[in-house]
Amino acid sequence: MDMRKLVGENFARLRKERGLTQEQVEERSGFSQWYISSLERGRRNPTIISLYELANAIGVRVADLIADEVVSADESSPPEVREASAASSKTEES
């Protein structure tokens, strides 16, 4: 698969899993909605700096944007978020 398309598909999926609109990502990242839309359609060739800023805007790691396999929303969360979520689940089960 073309890397631009892979990044775009991963970004769109992860953004949607987090319940974010392109407009919300625009506000968080400073990238225009037009740029984000083009990225998701595989028409942008983002720099590593752009990937870093976009990943931060939606709360994932850069590696999640370039991963060949699908990473669930829970797995792509930073470790401290996963740990807090796991602790919360254990408390609810008790």
Side-chain angles (χ1 to χ4, degrees), residues 4-16:
R4 286 183 301 257
K5 192 160 187 68
L6 175 67
V7 168
E9 288 176 1
N10 284 342
F11 185 83
R13 179 180 45 77
L14 292 164
R15 174 184 62 76
K16 290 172 187 173

Side-chain angles (χ1 to χ4, degrees), residues 56-77:
N56 283 335
I58 64 171
V60 299
R61 301 169 304 155
V62 172
D64 299 325
L65 297 179
I66 61 174
D68 270 343
E69 69 261 358
V70 173
V71 179
S72 74
D74 188 51
E75 291 173 350
S76 66
S77 298

Side-chain angles (χ1 to χ4, degrees), residues 11-77:
F11 185 83
R13 179 180 45 77
L14 292 164
R15 174 184 62 76
K16 290 172 187 173
E17 284 178 2
R18 283 157 178 72
L20 296 169
T21 65
Q22 290 179 348
E23 291 80 10
Q24 289 170 317
V25 175
E26 176 181 33
E27 291 172 11
R28 292 175 174 211
S29 69
F31 288 94
S32 71
Q33 190 267 333
W34 176 84
Y35 179 89
I36 294 163
S37 175
S38 296
L39 175 84
E40 290 184 357
R41 287 182 281 130
R43 298 197 173 158
R44 294 276 123 210
N45 192 20
T47 66
I48 190 68
I49 300 298
S50 297
L51 289 176
Y52 176 80
E53 292 172 358
L54 288 164
N56 283 335
I58 64 171
V60 299
R61 301 169 304 155
V62 172
D64 299 325
L65 297 179
I66 61 174
D68 270 343
E69 69 261 358
V70 173
V71 179
S72 74
D74 188 51
E75 291 173 350
S76 66
S77 298

